[in-house]
Amino acid sequence: RMTTSTGIQTATSIVSSARCKLESFHATNASESAITLNVWDSGTATISGKIEVTRMVLPANSNLEYDMHGRIMAEGIYVVVSAACAYSVEYS
């Protein structure tokens, strides 16, 4: 199966509503304040009873890349951001 990219996103988003593999996560924060990004194993805009896979704190004016090593997301991928930032998710 080929890897898919969301392309650049800037807000909370349901990335995938189906079982998939989370390959990597890239983010840029061009603001003067830290931003928190949470990735949930959820195929809907619901986090109640779901698994938080990772929580990333992105400092002001910084970039990050997380290699998620093909982590199986049983229900899908839901990304929650605390403020607007540029991010992309690669999954298969």
Side-chain angles (χ1 to χ4, degrees):
R1 192 149 80 160
M2 294 184 62
T3 300
T4 301
S5 176
T6 60
I8 299 299
Q9 303 294 308
T10 58
T12 294
S13 175
I14 299 169
V15 170
S16 174
S17 60
R19 181 182 175 93
C20 59
K21 286 184 181 180
L22 178 57
E23 304 292 346
S24 63
F25 192 96
H26 307 233
T28 299
N29 179 3
S31 77
E32 297 298 321
S33 301
I35 295 172
T36 302
L37 301 104
N38 307 80
V39 178
W40 293 87
D41 188 342
S42 179
T44 65
T46 300
I47 60 174
S48 178
K50 307 299 181 179
I51 296 171
E52 183 180 12
V53 174
T54 187
R55 181 179 304 164
M56 297 165 263
V57 177
L58 187 56
N61 300 305
S62 66
N63 300 294
L64 66 76
E65 176 182 0
Y66 274 46
D67 182 349
M68 300 304 293
H69 304 286
R71 198 259 190 215
I72 298 295
M73 304 295 277
E75 296 182 21
I77 303 170
Y78 179 48
V79 177
V80 178
V81 297
S82 65
C85 67
Y87 70 89
S88 68
V89 180
E90 287 63 47
Y91 63 101
S92 58

